[in-house]
Amino acid sequence: MRENLNVGVVGVGMIGQDHIRRLTKVLPGSAVVAVADADPERARRVAEDVAGARALPTGQDVIRDDAVDAVVVTSWGDTHEEYVLAAIAAGKSVFCEKPLATTQEACLRILDAEMAHGKRLVQVGFMRRYDAAYRALKEVVSSGAIGTPLLMHSAHRNASVPGHYTSDMAINDTAVHDVDIARWLLDDEVAAISVLVPRRNRRAGDLRDPIFILLEMAGGALVDVEVSVNIAYGYDIRGEIVGETGVAGLAESNTVVVKREGSFSGRMPEDWRERFVRAFDAELQEWLIAAAKGTATGPSVWDGYAATAACDAALAALRDGTRKTISLRERPSFYARP
Ligand code: NAP
């Protein structure tokens, strides 16, 4: 086991820089030694601020660099496959931001490569699984305290999104979190999916926003997912599970509520960085510990594949307005549930 893991980061935009801050200033056990970005000037600027880090021309250069023990992939989703496959080929542990890849075929190529390697190397950035509130919700559901889960309501609300955000990303980049957390909370796979589009938010420009997704889980529970990405008031992640004898939901995450002049109020997180700061810390800490042993734990390639397969089906459902069924490959014992 390595005492100090030398990490290379591919893609140093918003979350790449946030994970570099986490690796260099918050968590023990690693150093960031190489970075790359589609924008070489951005890579250079980021490397300049990290002692001991070099900016390399491409992500592939980072992955094959001898000084790099393990890799963080935080470029755009449709570039993840190339980098994750290269990391597996190099035998290096890799933390890949969600989505694992933007098509199920790409996810299966990664799955085949990891299985051929013979042990887990990939952790997917489904950080909600590390959030204290979601963990408490899972505990309640698993304890049987509300009976068998029948329904789940999930809402994913962003105040706004960057200019390069596309309508499809509401599904394969945003709702992919809700799909994963529903699978995890209900311990089940998605069997069918439908998508409805309500009246457009006038703040959304050309984006199809909001959207409403209905997941039919294999065990019979239904999950509705609202994705609203121009909702102005803040970043608001909601989840509630309705069981046979009770209901359990995420509480408001405020530590302080202010009551004055006949009203009460609390703070809304601005974005995912604020809402999930502890969850991001916890997932990367877990990755560092596993990567130091040359392996990976946490959300797996199977989880990345199952979530993307559901998102692929949702995009198809949206295109022709029909419900789509999802048939996953048989789950290999390599990815057995923990
Ligand atoms: P971003 O700010 O646009 O950063 C992505 C960076 O990757 C940009 O600097 C981009 O350069 C660069 N890039 C694009 N293609 C590349 C390539 N082939 N090789 C190397 N670098 C490349 O986006 P972001 O918000 O950080 O998101 C990055 C990833 O993290 C996405 O998969 C996203 O879904 C995920 N994410 C996850 C969460 C979460 O809640 N877990 C939150 C935010 C983001 P250019 O701008 O020049 O193209």
Side-chain angles (χ1 to χ4, degrees), residues 52-120:
R54 290 165 299 138
L56 300 182
T58 70
Q60 295 291 354
D61 293 322
V62 167
I63 294 163
R64 75 170 79 92
D65 194 276
D66 286 340
V68 168
D69 303 319
V71 181
V72 168
V73 175
T74 40
S75 50
W76 272 111
D78 54 7
T79 68
H80 291 176
E81 177 192 5
E82 171 198 347
Y83 296 129
V84 174
L85 286 175
I88 294 171
K92 297 184 181 182
S93 294
V94 53
F95 175 87
C96 177
E97 255 313 330
K98 60 80 196 166
L100 173 63
T102 46
T103 65
Q104 58 186 309
E105 292 77 18
C107 292
L108 283 173
R109 286 190 284 274
I110 295 173
L111 188 142
D112 288 335
E114 190 180 48
M115 284 183 58
H117 174 75
K119 68 174 171 176
R120 277 196 58 189

Side-chain angles (χ1 to χ4, degrees), residues 32-256:
V32 173
V33 296
V35 303
D37 194 275
D39 177 352
E41 183 47 30
R42 187 176 302 135
R44 193 193 58 73
R45 275 199 314 272
V46 169
E48 235 172 49
D49 285 345
V50 180
R54 290 165 299 138
L56 300 182
T58 70
Q60 295 291 354
D61 293 322
V62 167
I63 294 163
R64 75 170 79 92
D65 194 276
D66 286 340
V68 168
D69 303 319
V71 181
V72 168
V73 175
T74 40
S75 50
W76 272 111
D78 54 7
T79 68
H80 291 176
E81 177 192 5
E82 171 198 347
Y83 296 129
V84 174
L85 286 175
I88 294 171
K92 297 184 181 182
S93 294
V94 53
F95 175 87
C96 177
E97 255 313 330
K98 60 80 196 166
L100 173 63
T102 46
T103 65
Q104 58 186 309
E105 292 77 18
C107 292
L108 283 173
R109 286 190 284 274
I110 295 173
L111 188 142
D112 288 335
E114 190 180 48
M115 284 183 58
H117 174 75
K119 68 174 171 176
R120 277 196 58 189
L121 283 180
V122 184
Q123 179 176 332
V124 182
F126 287 130
M127 80 298 179
R128 289 187 184 185
R129 295 178 179 215
Y130 295 87
D131 176 62
Y134 272 118
R135 287 196 161 193
L137 180 56
K138 184 164 173 69
E139 245 178 74
V140 172
V141 174
S142 309
S143 73
I146 60 167
T148 300
L150 307 173
L151 296 167
M152 177 173 168
H153 308 296
S154 192
H156 192 139
R157 302 188 184 132
N158 290 56
S160 62
V161 281
H164 51 60
Y165 190 91
T166 63
S167 288
D168 283 0
M169 286 171 71
I171 291 177
N172 63 19
D173 201 76
T174 299
V176 69
H177 271 307
D178 302 85
V179 171
D180 178 68
I181 207 70
R183 294 179 56 253
W184 183 70
L185 286 167
L186 301 174
D187 199 13
D188 203 356
E189 296 294 3
V190 185
I193 201 155
S194 322
V195 183
L196 291 171
V197 183
R199 174 192 295 166
R200 188 186 297 254
N201 182 337
R202 282 175 297 175
R203 302 181 69 255
D206 292 337
L207 283 182
R208 194 196 304 116
D209 174 44
I211 55 170
F212 185 83
I213 307 172
L214 184 65
L215 315 180
E216 296 171 48
M217 306 304 286
L222 292 182
V223 179
D224 60 82
V225 180
E226 167 206 328
V227 178
S228 295
V229 296
N230 284 282
I231 204 152
Y233 73 90
Y235 180 77
D236 196 11
I237 300 300
R238 316 212 57 84
E240 183 182 67
I241 295 182
V242 180
E244 291 173 300
T245 55
V247 173
L250 302 178
E252 297 294 345
S253 53
N254 282 289
T255 40
V256 175

Side-chain angles (χ1 to χ4, degrees), residues 286-309:
E286 185 169 302
W287 175 68
L288 284 175
I289 291 168
K293 298 179 197 150
T295 182
T297 57
S300 68
V301 168
W302 177 265
D303 296 312
Y305 157 60
T308 292

